[in-house]
Amino acid sequence: MTVSTALIAASTNRFPSAADTSPDSLIAFGSNNLLALWDVTAPNDYGVFEMLPGHEGVVTCVRFISNDILVTGDEQGVLLLWKRVEGKWRIKHKVKAHMRALTSLCTFNSWLVSGSSDSTVKFWETDASENDGSLQLKQSITTGRWYPLSLALAFLPGTRGNDVFLLLAISGSNTNVHLYLRNEQEQLIHSASLAGHEDWIRALTFKAPCTSEETLVLASGSQDATIRLWNIEPLKNAEVAAGPGDQPRDDLLDAFEASLGEIGETEEGGRQISLKRHILTIRSIDGRQASRQYAVTFDALLIGHEFGITSLSWRPSLGPDSTPTILSSSTDSSLILWSPSTVLGSTQDSTTSIWINRQRFGDVGGQRLGGFVGSLWARGGQEALGWGATSGHKGPVRGLAWSPNGEYLISAGVDQTTRIFGKVHPSIPSQSSWHEIARPQVHGYDLLDVVSLDALKFVSIADEKVIRVFEAPQNFVQLAKTLGVADFTEIEVNRPAGASVPPLGLSNKAVGDGSTVAPVLAPLDRRPFESEFAGATLWPEIEKIFGHGYESITLAVSHSRKLIATACKATTSEHAVIRLYETDTFKLVGQPLAGHTLTVTRIAFSPDDKYILSVSRDRTWHLFEEKDGQGYVHAAADKPHARIIWDCAWAAEGDVFATASRDKTVKIWKRVEEKWATTAVIKTSSPATAVDFSPVDTEQIRKLAVGHEDGTIEIYRNSPTDPSSWKLDITIDKSLAHVDQIHRLSWRPQSKYNNKTNELASCSEDGTLKILIIQGQ
C-alpha cells in the first residue's frame, strides 16, 4: 500500500524571516512547528508537496545556504541544519542556539548569523559537506536592552572571496542600524551606528557589487514606513599608517554634531536627513601595518508605504546591465518594486539617480488583515512572492466535511473561517490540482465544526450558542463550473450574486438579489486571489438556530440530509443533551435526547438513520433508536473506556460502529441479539482521537482510519463477513500525516469526481488540512 498527498493546506507563520527561496526556486516556509516545501516551478501549480517535522516550537526563521542545504530556527531557540540527500530532506545537526526565540537569521557563504529575543546575536560557521553536517559557534554578541530583528552579511567592496573582510549589519527594536567589522583576530567589532529611522528597523538587505568598482549598498526598512539606502565604498588614498590603538572613528564630526544638541529634530518635529559620513577602518592582512578605510553615507530615502516595512530583498542580478530593484512588503497590504530613475545632474556631463516606486501591487486599499508579513523573489528574479496572515488556516483545524457527492471539501478552523477546497480542472491531468476556491464564512468566533446539507448548503457551529446555515450564491455555482470542480444540476436562477458582512456584524447578508448594495464578486475565469477570498467568495447566511444554553461543541447530519443533531459544552446532565432540527424548517424535533452527564464530543447517524450514536467526556456511549411515531428514544448505553471518548463512526454497511478513546483503544461494536457488544479491540500506540470507515471496495474489503493524538494515522482492513478481525495495513507517520492531535478523518464519498480512488481527508491541531491518496490492497 502506498500513500501520497493530493492536498496540503498550510499557512505561513507570521514572521518576516519564516520563508526563503533556494536558487532553484524551492520555497521553504514555517507552518506552526512544521517546515513546508513548495516548488513554484511545478507545471500544474501543485502547491505544498511536503511537510517536514523536526521542530518542537513554532518555526520563526528559514534560510537556504544552497539548493540542498537550509537552516531553520524556532521560538524555543533551536537551530536545525537540513540537508537534501537523494531527494529526501534530513536533519543533520540540531543545536540549542539561544535561550529564547529566534527572531532573525541570515546566511552568507559558509557563515550563519542568528539573532534572538534573548538580546544576543551569534556568529556560526557551517560545514554541511560532512555527512552529519555541523554548526560551530564562533562569536556571541550582546545587544543590551534591544532585540535584533534583522541581520545582513556582505563582503566589503573590493574584497569579495576574502572571509576576513566581512561586514555585519544588525537592526532591531531601536532606531539605529549597527555595523560590525571583522578584525584580524576574526572577531566582529562594532564600528558604526547609522541613525535616521524613527521606529524599529525590521528589514536589512545588502546588494553586493557586481564589480570591484561598484558600491556596496545597504537597504533598511522600518516601522516608520520608510526605506533608507546607505552606500559603502572605499575611501580614496585610504591606506594610512596604523598604530596599535587605532579604532574606526570619526571624532571631529561626532563632536560637531554633539555640540549642536538635538540635531535630528526640525521645527516641525520630524527628523532631519543626516549627511554624516561614517568611517570604517580595518587592518590589512597582507603583512604590512596598514589599514583600509571605507565611507558609509546615506544615499536615498524611499517613501511610498503607508505603514511599517516588514521585509526587503534585492532582485537577483539578471546581468551587468540589469537595473537594481528592491522588493518591499508592508503591513499596508501592498508590495512595491523600487528602482532608480537616472536624470541629468547639475551639468550635462553628470547624472544622478532618484529612486521611484516602479510598481505597487497586492491587496491595495483592501481589507487589511495584517497586511504582508514578508516577500521573496523566485525564478531568478522573474517573480515576486508575498505572504500574509490568512493564507491557509491560521491555527488548529477542528472540523471538515465532504459535499454529499465528494465534489469539494469544506473545513472549519479556529482562525474563524470556513474554507472550500476543490480539484481544479480534473479532466486535464497536467493542470489538475487541489486549491482553495472559496471562503464562505469569515466569522467573529472560533469555528469548530461543519456539515454539508447538500452540494450548495452547509451548517457550521462556532464557539457561540448560535448554529448558522449558509447557501451558495450564484457566483460560486458559476465558479465551480468554470474551474471544473462540479457541474451542479440545481436551478441557478433566483440566487443572490454574493454576500457581504455588515460593519460590526457576524451574519453574511445576501447582495445582488435586488438589494441596493453592489456585490463584490470574485472573477469567474480563474481561481480567486487571496485578497478576494475574505469578501468576494462569501456565502449568504439563510438561517440561525438557537436552543442550547452553552457554546456549541459538535454537529452531525443524517444521511437523508433531513435532520441535524447538535450538542453544547456541558458539566451537568441537563445541558449534556442532543437537539435535533429539521433541515426544511430548522425547527426543533421532539424532546432533547438525554443520557450523558458531561460534554458530548461526537454524534453519528447510522447509514439508515435508524440510530443516533453519541460519545462523551463522561466515557460513555449512548444509542438512540427511531420509533415510529415517537421519534428517537434511548436504546442502549455502555461505559467501555477508561478515558474520554473522542470520536465515533458507523461502518457504511451499518453492521458495526467504532469508538475511539484517550485510553489508547478503538473498540468495534456489533449487535448481538438484543444488545450491542464489543467484537474487536484495537490497541493504539497513542490516544485515539478520530475514526472513520470507508465503504466496501470491489475486493469486499473495507478500511478503518484511526487518527492519533500524536498526529499519526493507521489504516486497518476488514471483511464485513468477519467484523471481529482487523488487520493493520499501514501506519502513516508524521512526515505524511500530522504532528499534533488529529480532530477529524473523513473518506471521500465514492463518486464520478474521484474515479473510485481512496482519498482520506484529515485535519489537525497542527493547523494543516490534508487529503491523502491511499492506493493498493
Coordinates of all heavy atoms in Angstrom, one line a residue, residues 7 9 390-393 417-422 424 434-440 483 527-528 530 533 537:
L7 N -3.5 17.1 -1.4 CA -3.6 18.5 -0.9 C -3.0 18.6 0.4 O -3.2 17.7 1.3 CB -5.1 18.9 -0.8 CG -5.4 20.2 -0.1 CD1 -4.9 21.4 -0.9 CD2 -6.9 20.3 0.3
A9 N -2.9 21.9 2.9 CA -3.2 23.3 3.1 C -2.6 23.8 4.4 O -2.9 23.2 5.5 CB -4.8 23.5 3.2
T390 N -3.4 35.2 6.3 CA -4.7 34.5 6.1 C -4.5 33.4 5.0 O -5.5 32.8 4.6 CB -5.7 35.5 5.6 OG1 -5.3 36.2 4.4 CG2 -6.0 36.5 6.7
S391 N -3.3 33.1 4.5 CA -3.2 32.0 3.5 C -3.1 30.7 4.2 O -2.1 30.4 4.9 CB -1.9 32.3 2.7 OG -1.9 33.5 2.1
G392 N -4.2 29.9 4.1 CA -4.3 28.7 4.9 C -4.8 29.0 6.2 O -4.8 30.1 6.7
H393 N -5.4 27.9 6.9 CA -5.9 28.1 8.2 C -4.8 28.5 9.2 O -3.7 27.9 9.2 CB -6.5 26.8 8.7 CG -7.9 26.6 8.2 ND1 -9.0 27.3 8.6 CD2 -8.4 25.6 7.4 CE1 -10.1 26.9 8.1 NE2 -9.7 25.9 7.3
T417 N -12.7 31.0 10.2 CA -13.1 30.9 8.8 C -13.5 29.5 8.5 O -13.0 28.5 9.1 CB -11.9 31.3 7.8 OG1 -10.8 30.3 7.9 CG2 -11.4 32.6 8.1
T418 N -14.4 29.4 7.5 CA -14.6 28.1 6.8 C -14.1 28.3 5.4 O -14.2 29.3 4.8 CB -16.1 27.7 6.7 OG1 -16.9 28.8 6.1 CG2 -16.7 27.5 8.1
R419 N -13.5 27.2 4.8 CA -12.9 27.2 3.5 C -13.3 26.0 2.7 O -13.5 24.9 3.2 CB -11.3 27.3 3.7 CG -10.8 28.5 4.5 CD -9.4 28.3 4.9 NE -9.0 29.4 5.8 CZ -8.0 30.3 5.5 NH1 -7.4 30.3 4.4 NH2 -7.7 31.2 6.4
I420 N -13.4 26.3 1.4 CA -13.8 25.2 0.5 C -12.6 24.9 -0.5 O -12.1 25.8 -1.1 CB -15.1 25.6 -0.3 CG1 -16.3 25.7 0.6 CG2 -15.3 24.6 -1.5 CD1 -17.5 26.1 -0.1
F421 N -12.3 23.6 -0.6 CA -11.2 23.2 -1.4 C -11.7 22.3 -2.5 O -12.5 21.3 -2.2 CB -10.1 22.4 -0.6 CG -9.5 23.3 0.5 CD1 -10.1 23.4 1.7 CD2 -8.3 23.9 0.3 CE1 -9.5 24.2 2.7 CE2 -7.7 24.7 1.2 CZ -8.4 24.8 2.5
G422 N -11.4 22.5 -3.7 CA -11.8 21.7 -4.8 C -10.7 21.3 -5.8 O -9.7 22.0 -5.8
V424 N -9.3 21.5 -9.2 CA -9.4 22.3 -10.3 C -9.0 21.6 -11.6 O -8.0 20.9 -11.6 CB -8.6 23.6 -10.1 CG1 -8.7 24.5 -11.3 CG2 -9.1 24.4 -8.9
W434 N -5.5 20.4 -6.4 CA -6.4 20.9 -5.4 C -6.1 22.3 -4.9 O -4.9 22.6 -4.7 CB -6.4 20.0 -4.2 CG -7.1 18.7 -4.4 CD1 -6.6 17.5 -5.0 CD2 -8.5 18.4 -4.1 NE1 -7.6 16.6 -5.0 CE2 -8.8 17.0 -4.5 CE3 -9.5 19.1 -3.5 CZ2 -10.0 16.4 -4.3 CZ3 -10.8 18.5 -3.3 CH2 -11.0 17.2 -3.7
H435 N -7.1 23.1 -4.8 CA -6.9 24.5 -4.3 C -8.1 25.0 -3.5 O -9.2 24.5 -3.6 CB -6.6 25.4 -5.5 CG -5.4 25.2 -6.3 ND1 -4.2 25.6 -5.9 CD2 -5.2 24.5 -7.5 CE1 -3.3 25.2 -6.8 NE2 -3.9 24.5 -7.7
E436 N -7.8 26.0 -2.7 CA -8.9 26.7 -2.1 C -9.6 27.5 -3.1 O -9.0 28.3 -3.9 CB -8.4 27.6 -0.9 CG -9.5 28.3 -0.2 CD -9.0 29.2 0.9 OE1 -7.8 29.2 1.2 OE2 -9.8 30.0 1.5
I437 N -11.0 27.4 -3.2 CA -11.7 28.1 -4.2 C -12.7 29.0 -3.6 O -13.3 29.8 -4.3 CB -12.4 27.1 -5.2 CG1 -13.4 26.2 -4.4 CG2 -11.4 26.3 -5.9 CD1 -14.3 25.3 -5.3
A438 N -13.0 29.0 -2.3 CA -13.9 29.9 -1.7 C -13.7 29.9 -0.2 O -13.2 29.0 0.4 CB -15.4 29.5 -2.0
R439 N -14.1 31.0 0.4 CA -14.0 31.2 1.9 C -15.4 31.7 2.3 O -15.6 32.9 2.5 CB -12.9 32.2 2.3 CG -12.5 32.1 3.7 CD -11.2 32.9 3.9 NE -10.1 32.3 3.1 CZ -8.9 32.9 3.0 NH1 -8.7 34.1 3.6 NH2 -8.0 32.4 2.2
P440 N -16.4 30.8 2.4 CA -17.8 31.2 2.6 C -18.1 31.9 3.9 O -19.1 32.6 3.9 CB -18.6 29.9 2.4 CG -17.6 28.8 2.8 CD -16.3 29.3 2.3
L483 N -14.2 26.2 -13.2 CA -13.0 25.5 -12.8 C -13.0 24.0 -12.9 O -12.0 23.3 -12.7 CB -12.7 25.9 -11.3 CG -12.4 27.4 -11.0 CD1 -12.1 27.6 -9.6 CD2 -11.2 27.9 -11.9
R527 N -9.0 31.0 -10.5 CA -9.2 30.9 -9.0 C -9.1 32.3 -8.4 O -8.3 33.1 -8.8 CB -8.1 30.0 -8.4 CG -8.0 28.6 -9.0 CD -7.2 27.7 -8.1 NE -6.0 28.3 -7.6 CZ -4.8 28.2 -8.1 NH1 -4.7 27.6 -9.3 NH2 -3.8 28.8 -7.6
P528 N -9.9 32.5 -7.3 CA -9.8 33.8 -6.6 C -8.4 34.0 -6.0 O -7.7 33.0 -5.6 CB -10.8 33.6 -5.5 CG -11.8 32.6 -5.9 CD -10.9 31.6 -6.7
E530 N -5.9 35.6 -3.0 CA -6.0 35.7 -1.5 C -6.8 37.0 -1.1 O -7.6 36.9 -0.1 CB -4.6 35.7 -0.9 CG -4.6 35.8 0.6 CD -5.3 34.6 1.3 OE1 -5.3 33.5 0.8 OE2 -5.9 34.9 2.4
F533 N -10.7 36.4 -1.3 CA -11.4 35.4 -0.6 C -12.3 36.0 0.5 O -13.5 35.6 0.6 CB -10.4 34.4 0.1 CG -10.0 33.3 -0.9 CD1 -8.6 33.1 -1.1 CD2 -10.9 32.5 -1.5 CE1 -8.2 32.1 -2.0 CE2 -10.5 31.5 -2.3 CZ -9.1 31.3 -2.6
T537 N -16.0 35.9 -2.0 CA -16.4 34.5 -2.1 C -17.4 34.1 -0.9 O -17.6 32.9 -0.7 CB -15.3 33.5 -2.2 OG1 -14.5 33.6 -0.9 CG2 -14.3 33.9 -3.3

